C-alpha cells in the first residue's frame, strides 16, 4: 500500500523545504506559527490541517493539489524563482534583489 495522505504531505513539505533551501524556522515565520509547531507536524506528532496545506501551497506558489499529491509532484511544481540557488546552503536566506541571474 502507498503512503497515507498525512505521510504524503509531510514528505512534500520536506521536499519543498529542501528544494527551496528554506529552514523550518523560515516556513514557520511565513505561516505565522512557531518552528516547534512545524517540527511537530513534520514528525507526525501533530497533523497538517487543510488550512495549513493551503497556506504551505500558497507560500511556495504551488497548487494545494500538488502538495497533497506528494513530494515529487510538489517539488516539480515549485516555481524556478523559489528553488535553491546553486551553491546555496539550506536554511540560508536568499539575498534581497536576487532575480534568477538576469
Amino acid at each position: 500500500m502507498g503512503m497515507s495522505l498525512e505521510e504524503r504531505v509531510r514528505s512534500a513539505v520536506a521536499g519543498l523545504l529542501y528544494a527551496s533551501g528554506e529552514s523550518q524556522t523560515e516556513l514557520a515565520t511565513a505561516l505565522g506559527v512557531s518552528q516547534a509547531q512545524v517540527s511537530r507536524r513534520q514528525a507526525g506528532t501533530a497533523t497538517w490541517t487543510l488550512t495549513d496545506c493551503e497556506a504551505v501551497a500558497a507560500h511556495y506558489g504551488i497548487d494545494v493539489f500538488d502538495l497533497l499529491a506528494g513530494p515529487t509532484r510538489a517539488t516539480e511544481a515549485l516555481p524556478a524563482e523559489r528553488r535553491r540557488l546553486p551553491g546555496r546552503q539550506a536554511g540560508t536566506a536568499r539575498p534581497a534583489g536576487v532575480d534568477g541571474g538576469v
Side-chain angles (χ1 to χ4, degrees):
M1 185 170 172
M3 285 192 281
S4 70
L5 181 58
E6 181 66 26
E7 291 168 325
R8 272 187 283 180
V9 171
R10 286 195 312 263
S11 294
V13 171
L16 290 166
L17 286 167
Y18 179 80
S20 68
E22 279 189 337
S23 67
Q24 285 186 356
T25 302
E26 290 169 312
L27 176 59
T29 298
L31 299 179
V33 299
S34 70
Q35 181 277 327
Q37 289 173 304
V38 171
S39 179
R40 284 192 295 273
R41 290 171 183 151
Q42 284 302 95
T45 58
T47 59
W48 288 103
T49 67
L50 290 177
T51 301
D52 294 332
C53 290
E54 289 174 331
V56 169
H59 172 68
Y60 286 112
I62 65 173
D63 191 282
V64 71
F65 293 116
D66 292 325
L67 177 71
L68 297 176
T72 302
R73 182 114 162 244
T75 56
E76 287 174 351
L78 187 66
E81 63 271 10
R82 292 303 313 269
R83 294 185 181 277
R84 178 193 317 233
L85 297 173
R88 178 174 167 221
Q89 295 295 317
T92 58
R94 182 173 289 174
V98 170
D99 59 4
V102 175

